[in-house]
Amino acid sequence: MSEVPRFWRESRHRYRLVGTRCTNCDTLYFPPRVICPTCRRESVGKMKEEEMSGVGEIYSFTVVHDGLEQFKMQIPYVMALVKMKDGPLVTAQIVDCSPEEVKIGTKVTATLRKVRSEGKEGIIQYGYKFTICP
Amino acid sequence: MSSIVSYGSYIPRFRIRVEEIAKEWGENPENIKSGLFIHSKSVPGPDEDVLTISAEAAKNALRRTDLDKSKIGAIYVGSESHPYAVKPTSSILVEALGLSYDIHSADYEFACKAGTAAMQNVMAMVDSGQIENGMAIGADTSQGAPGDALEYSASAGGTAILIGKNGFADFNATLSFTTDTPDFWRREGEKYPSHGGRFTGEPAYFKHVLTGAKKMMEKMGTKPEDYDYAIFHQPNGKFPTRAAKMLGFKDEQVKDGLLTPFIGNTYSSSMIIGLSAVLDKAESGDRILGVAFGSGAGSDVFDMTVNDRVKSLKRERAKGVMEQVNNPIWIDYATYVKYRGKIIMRGA
Amino acid sequence: MRDVYILGVGTTKFGELWDLSLRELASEAGLKAIMDAGIYAEDVDALYGANTSGGQFVDQEQIAALIADYSGISDLNIPSIRVEAGSASGGAALMQAYLAVKSGQLNTVVVGGVEKMTDVPSEVATEIIGGSLDAEWETFFGATECSIAAMIARRHEFEGKAKRENYAVFPVISHKHASMNDTSHFKNIIKIEDVINASPVAEPLTVFDNAPISDGASALVISADLKKINNASHPIKIKSSSAANDFLSVHDRKSVDSFRAVKKSSDSALSLAGLDIGKIDALEIHDSYSIAALIQLEEILGKDAIKMTEGNDFYFNSSRPLNVSGGLKAHGNPLGTSGLYQAVEATVQLRGKAGQRQVKDPRNFLIHNMGGLGTTSVSTVIGVD
């Protein structure tokens, strides 16, 4: 079963880390939100899309050994909470590294990767992952 | 005429040494190294493809310039390993790079010279005034059949060339030479390419590379010694070295643009990743000859001169080619076949 | 307002129950609860069914209707409503049933939970369990629920708030208690080294830090009708039930290693019951992951929690009995059932019928059921006056 529209709708957010800024309280949110959880009704109509810088550091991480089927090729893979320079915490994979290289505080930068695909015939779902800054 | 405004390359970090491949097939690695002049090659990660490689190369190009992205009027991607047979890589890149939706875009294919074909089209559009700037990308994640000689060389990488007016490297001229020569091909739906063995040499690579280069020097009234750098398509380390010698170029002119010995043949990025490495160090006044070759067969030739604006180029904002070459993660043959989808996975 | 009593309880064994289907599990628990209560279907005003992911595990929605049907009560046209709040579905269903009876609209209600998890391979179960995370911004990118728990653990340790042993101890406690419970998924006793050195699932968490994938169903009959109670001199009462929620995803919270909703729901439940934590004789908490158990206790017990993990306070015969049922970790974790089994255990203990693992003369249990990792929190106080 194809999930094309559900994926396609989020593509700019997933390709380029486009979040939303509440222009009422000047807070940037990622993932994007329609309503600011601080300003609530004051934020209606004041949420503006904004692309994040793509740089951040590891806030916490884990090495996943028993993971999702779609990620089997990469097991063991590193998942992290990345504290973005722009503010938000982002849950994402850290790739192109050995798990030993990942520490809390390690600087990382966003990269575009294949995240999932709908089998061999379906669409390829791209999105952000992070790599360690040299 | 149009010029190079910015450029950027991306090479996957995973690498495999010739020794790892040779031992699986009972070959002597020293013979491969001296015969093909290849020591190692890049391997795309399991989550990398031509789209992700193109995006990273293009982002590197965009980092090095302050050009307003909305002024990019075309994006063309040349590859023989586009992720989709039908569904353009270039349109995904428009969103991934945050470019204007008012943009010309298409995917190109001409074996290893699809990226340079894209460059020529962007140049034409800039020169004609149709667009102000355009992005041409050559990228591949090429496959060699297990056990085939190509397995030592078929690698992955990509280069993006941003072309416009008032760039830091002027195109003095470009030309192409094309004949119907079936030296290398892949039929629709086939996973691995086929090739004509030694037929890929003299009647294909050498004929087109040498003819293209000679025609360019004839057209421009130049001789090999007029160029500071010469870059040739590099399916292995041996062919470009020999072609350069046959044309009368010296090692010093060729060595900076010769990457295949370390990262393998990046196909559509092959010549232009060499160009990218040269642009990482070129100075004002440097003249560069670039000769791309695509099987099937043809050559695209470029004569370029770096100008004074190179001094304001923000090269340091992105990782250079050699910096990426020298940042490998070595993998063994088992990991390589896993990453390249050469083992049968359930549901994959 | 009037009081709400637990008339009867019933549960199936928890574990890999290959012979039993979802509907068979549910009707077994329901029937046991009704028989335990000594009532008949005609006495029941409504059925609340708790289930987390039947739609994904066995392709079945409208699960409350199915349970009623296969329990043989459809002919009575009793309203049957499913409650879903992730793995807090059981606690949430109990709360809804309690409020309905408390309000006076309904007198006697059956509340049952069921989850049939082993009809799918474990990789698929992992994916379904991840459904309590944000599908678009966590699971999509490769996160499993255990991976999020692991990142909470890593950060908690990094901040110097806990060491590995401070949470590796919870599976040990749960296994000890489960070994004395006939309906447990696991009966083996483990040591803290076993937990730390087992196969990693998401580092630092190992297979022993994770509650298992279990099948199981539990049910209670609750009522405001004292006349229906067999032993009216010693009625077991739901003294309060209170829920609270937090941001769905840990990455959106101000602190990743605290569960604000847990503090809010447990404080509220205690306050509504007119009790302070000192009056609680035993706790059942949601030890889906060892680290989740620790963070819940830090919210419920405050600073003492860490120190208590270093002693033997949490065993059934000690000062602060915890998860005397065997917990989700060792008694089993059929997601939507977990909150109801906690209530079954509290009832059995308050009746003094828990056998070997009996807590000495308990008067009040605080049970805490959780959806996701601190997202949905339901606290219920069950006790005797």
Side-chain angles (χ1 to χ4, degrees):
Chain A
M1 195 165 61
S2 173
E3 298 178 308
V4 169
R6 196 186 114 199
F7 164 74
W8 164 81
R9 199 174 295 123
E10 310 296 348
S11 51
R12 66 191 181 284
H13 304 294
R14 289 185 180 158
Y15 293 175
R16 287 185 279 128
L17 285 153
V18 174
T20 45
R21 183 177 290 281
C22 171
T23 55
N24 198 54
C25 69
D26 203 33
T27 306
L28 181 66
Y29 293 99
F30 191 92
R33 289 175 178 272
V34 185
I35 293 166
C36 167
T38 304
C39 303
R40 295 189 277 273
R41 74 179 60 192
E42 299 301 320
S43 68
V44 173
K46 294 178 184 166
M47 302 298 283
K48 301 281 182 258
E49 290 200 354
E50 184 176 320
E51 189 174 329
M52 291 204 284
S53 64
V55 297
E57 62 176 59
I58 307 273
Y59 187 78
S60 191
F61 71 97
T62 179
V63 183
V64 180
H65 295 261
D66 195 351
L68 301 176
E69 191 70 10
Q70 281 259 353
F71 295 79
K72 195 161 196 160
M73 198 60 94
Q74 295 160 70
I75 283 174
Y77 61 90
V78 179
M79 287 301 303
L81 288 165
V82 176
K83 178 72 178 165
M84 303 300 295
K85 199 178 87 182
D86 317 70
L89 264 185
V90 173
T91 302
Q93 221 184 317
I94 311 294
V95 293
D96 293 2
C97 62
S98 70
E100 296 76 48
E101 294 175 70
V102 183
K103 302 272 182 294
I104 287 177
T106 301
K107 300 266 188 293
V108 292
T109 183
T111 177
L112 184 70
R113 295 295 170 104
K114 285 190 282 188
V115 180
R116 289 169 176 255
S117 69
E118 295 180 346
K120 267 177 80 172
E121 294 176 1
I123 64 154
I124 303 164
Q125 300 169 337
Y126 295 98
Y128 51 80
K129 296 186 181 186
F130 289 81
T131 55
I132 293 174
C133 298
Chain B
M1 214 178 166
S2 51
S3 54
I4 299 176
V5 172
S6 189
Y7 69 99
S9 292
Y10 176 80
I11 308 165
R13 278 192 71 188
F14 298 106
R15 310 289 157 78
I16 186 165
R17 291 190 173 93
V18 158
E19 286 82 350
E20 275 291 326
I21 301 170
K23 82 173 178 211
E24 295 299 327
W25 301 104
E27 301 256 18
N28 181 347
E30 296 311 315
N31 293 348
I32 308 290
K33 285 199 250 183
S34 59
L36 293 175
F37 190 24
I38 290 178
H39 299 280
S40 57
K41 68 166 187 173
S42 64
V43 179
D47 56 359
E48 293 187 294
D49 64 14
V50 162
L51 180 273
T52 66
I53 289 170
S54 298
E56 294 307 316
K59 280 194 258 178
N60 280 339
L62 292 171
R63 285 183 183 116
R64 288 178 166 141
T65 172
D66 294 320
L67 182 80
D68 177 359
K69 282 195 289 188
S70 69
K71 300 254 193 293
I72 296 173
I75 182 160
Y76 297 126
V77 188
S79 179
E80 57 150 69
S81 46
H82 287 289
Y84 291 92
V86 179
K87 160 83 186 90
T89 305
S90 52
S91 62
I92 307 174
L93 278 175
V94 169
E95 191 62 81
L97 300 173
L99 304 181
S100 164
Y101 298 133
D102 297 317
I103 194 164
H104 300 278
S105 87
D107 289 4
Y108 284 51
E109 193 278 313
F110 193 139
C112 293
K113 77 170 193 72
T116 48
M119 280 172 66
Q120 290 179 331
N121 279 277
V122 172
M123 288 166 65
M125 294 183 87
V126 169
D127 290 340
S128 69
Q130 173 87 4
I131 58 172
E132 283 183 61
N133 303 278
M135 180 88 83
I137 299 171
D140 260 305
T141 56
S142 307
Q143 291 264 29
D148 190 284
L150 278 180
E151 198 177 19
Y152 294 101
S153 60
S155 71
T159 296
I161 307 283
L162 182 59
I163 295 166
K165 298 278 191 200
N166 304 317
F168 70 91
D170 297 306
F171 289 110
N172 304 317
T174 184
L175 60 79
S176 295
F177 175 72
T178 310
T179 72
D180 175 17
T181 309
D183 58 320
F184 170 101
W185 63 92
R186 179 167 63 83
R187 292 281 297 277
E188 179 70 42
E190 289 300 305
K191 190 175 172 98
Y192 301 116
S194 305
H195 55 83
R198 292 187 58 78
F199 184 68
T200 59
E202 189 272 318
Y205 179 87
F206 290 101
K207 175 177 164 185
H208 294 82
V209 165
L210 300 181
T211 306
K214 283 177 190 160
K215 280 178 184 279
M216 179 59 85
M217 288 190 279
E218 203 173 295
K219 175 175 173 166
M220 303 306 285
T222 49
K223 292 191 280 300
E225 53 267 36
D226 295 326
Y227 297 95
D228 299 281
Y229 299 98
I231 310 136
F232 300 94
H233 172 62
Q234 36 205 277
N236 48 51
K238 192 171 78 175
F239 280 21
T241 309
R242 192 191 294 167
K245 202 172 200 169
M246 290 165 84
L247 287 164
F249 288 92
K250 295 191 166 60
D251 273 357
E252 305 85 77
Q253 292 165 286
V254 176
K255 64 175 175 29
D256 290 307
L258 189 59
L259 280 308
T260 294
F262 318 107
I263 61 169
N265 180 10
T266 57
Y267 282 57
S268 295
S269 183
S270 180
M271 188 282 276
I272 47 178
I273 206 163
L275 174 61
S276 185
V278 164
L279 294 176
D280 280 340
K281 62 185 300 188
E283 291 170 5
S284 181
D286 284 346
R287 191 158 183 175
I288 304 165
L289 180 72
V291 186
F293 168 75
S295 289
S299 55
D300 295 332
V301 192
F302 301 83
D303 183 315
M304 298 157 276
T305 304
V306 176
N307 63 43
D308 266 351
R309 284 186 289 272
V310 73
K311 288 168 187 147
S312 53
L313 183 68
K314 312 284 195 304
R315 281 196 275 226
E316 70 288 352
R317 287 190 194 165
K319 273 189 263 182
V321 170
M322 287 316 293
E323 201 182 335
Q324 296 184 59
V325 168
N326 295 324
N327 188 29
I329 299 173
W330 296 105
I331 59 173
D332 59 15
Y333 195 78
T335 303
Y336 164 73
V337 296
K338 187 170 94 171
Y339 282 5
R340 293 308 280 133
K342 292 172 198 272
I343 53 175
I344 300 165
M345 297 283 289
R346 176 160 37 84
Chain C
M1 274 203 281
R2 61 192 191 156
D3 289 333
V4 179
Y5 302 98
I6 295 174
L7 299 191
V9 296
T11 192
T12 65
K13 188 187 178 323
F14 282 14
E16 295 174 324
L17 308 176
W18 306 114
D19 298 346
L20 297 173
S21 66
L22 178 129
R23 66 188 70 187
E24 287 167 332
L25 287 165
S27 24
E28 179 186 327
L31 187 64
K32 280 180 174 168
I34 284 189
M35 297 196 29
D36 183 50
I39 61 164
Y40 293 87
E42 290 78 2
D43 299 321
V44 177
D45 297 324
L47 184 146
Y48 284 81
N51 174 262
T52 302
S53 295
Q56 292 187 78
F57 283 121
V58 290
D59 295 339
Q60 182 67 56
E61 309 292 3
Q62 289 223 83
I63 277 167
L66 176 80
I67 296 171
D69 192 347
Y70 275 79
S71 299
I73 59 173
S74 284
D75 215 27
L76 299 169
N77 303 114
I78 294 166
S80 306
I81 308 295
R82 171 180 170 185
V83 177
E84 189 273 309
S87 43
S89 298
L94 181 61
M95 183 185 175
Q96 299 311 307
Y98 163 77
L99 294 175
V101 175
K102 187 96 177 158
S103 76
Q105 170 129 6
L106 304 174
N107 281 320
T108 301
V109 169
V110 175
V111 51
V114 61
E115 207 78 48
K116 179 70 198 176
M117 301 175 76
T118 61
D119 281 353
V120 298
S122 59
E123 312 87 82
V124 177
T126 301
E127 194 101 28
I128 295 171
I129 292 164
S132 65
L133 305 175
D134 187 324
E136 304 295 350
W137 305 104
E138 294 183 301
T139 321
F140 174 83
F141 289 96
T144 58
E145 197 179 59
C146 182
S147 74
I148 303 289
M151 290 193 280
I152 293 172
R154 174 100 57 190
R155 188 70 202 184
H156 209 54
E157 285 195 46
F158 178 80
E159 305 230 332
K161 294 179 191 162
K163 294 194 290 289
R164 181 70 175 97
E165 292 75 12
N166 295 127
Y167 55 96
V169 70
F170 292 104
V172 177
I173 296 163
S174 286
H175 272 257
K176 169 71 180 167
H177 291 147
S179 73
M180 297 181 280
N181 188 342
D182 287 344
T183 52
S184 291
H185 189 149
F186 296 126
K187 297 253 174 66
N188 58 322
I189 288 172
I190 59 170
K191 296 195 295 291
I192 205 159
E193 304 82 60
D194 298 331
V195 176
I196 294 169
N197 299 327
S199 302
V201 176
E203 297 177 30
L205 304 184
T206 70
V207 286
F208 277 134
D209 288 288
N210 284 254
I213 291 165
S214 317
D215 304 323
S218 301
L220 291 88
V221 178
I222 66 169
S223 178
D225 188 352
L226 258 179
K227 291 199 292 291
K228 287 202 168 69
I229 297 178
N230 291 330
N231 182 6
S233 61
H234 191 67
I236 293 162
K237 196 193 280 183
I238 299 178
K239 295 189 172 178
S240 65
S241 186
S242 196
N245 271 74
D246 205 338
F247 288 88
L248 177 66
S249 302
V250 163
H251 61 220
D252 285 323
R253 299 180 195 160
K254 286 189 179 67
S255 160
V256 306
D257 63 337
S258 58
F259 292 158
R260 288 196 312 178
V262 175
K263 174 147 186 62
K264 192 167 177 200
S265 83
S266 59
D267 282 355
S268 166
L270 288 169
S271 154
L272 287 167
L275 298 169
D276 62 43
I277 191 73
K279 292 275 188 236
I280 297 295
D281 302 307
L283 288 166
E284 287 284 316
I285 61 168
H286 195 102
D287 58 338
S288 47
Y289 303 95
S290 56
I291 183 65
L294 176 63
I295 306 241
Q296 281 165 78
L297 280 189
E298 288 176 354
E299 300 293 355
I300 296 168
L301 301 177
K303 292 213 185 317
D304 293 344
I306 281 279
K307 220 172 85 196
M308 292 172 80
T309 63
E310 287 160 3
N312 289 315
D313 297 312
F314 293 129
Y315 290 97
F316 73 102
N317 51 3
S318 190
S319 59
R320 172 58 79 199
L322 179 81
N323 289 0
V324 289
S325 63
L328 281 64
K329 169 64 195 85
H331 186 266
N333 184 22
L335 308 174
T337 314
S338 58
L340 290 164
Y341 183 70
Q342 292 175 323
V344 170
E345 174 71 12
T347 305
V348 172
Q349 289 277 351
L350 290 163
R351 286 174 176 173
K353 303 283 188 198
Q356 273 185 285
R357 67 182 192 286
Q358 179 65 48
V359 175
K360 192 164 180 293
D361 301 329
R363 300 193 67 79
N364 292 298
F365 262 69
L366 173 65
I367 64 176
H368 180 254
N369 193 205
M370 191 166 75
L373 289 154
T375 300
T376 301
S377 166
V378 188
S379 296
T380 302
V381 176
I382 298 173
V384 292
D385 285 331

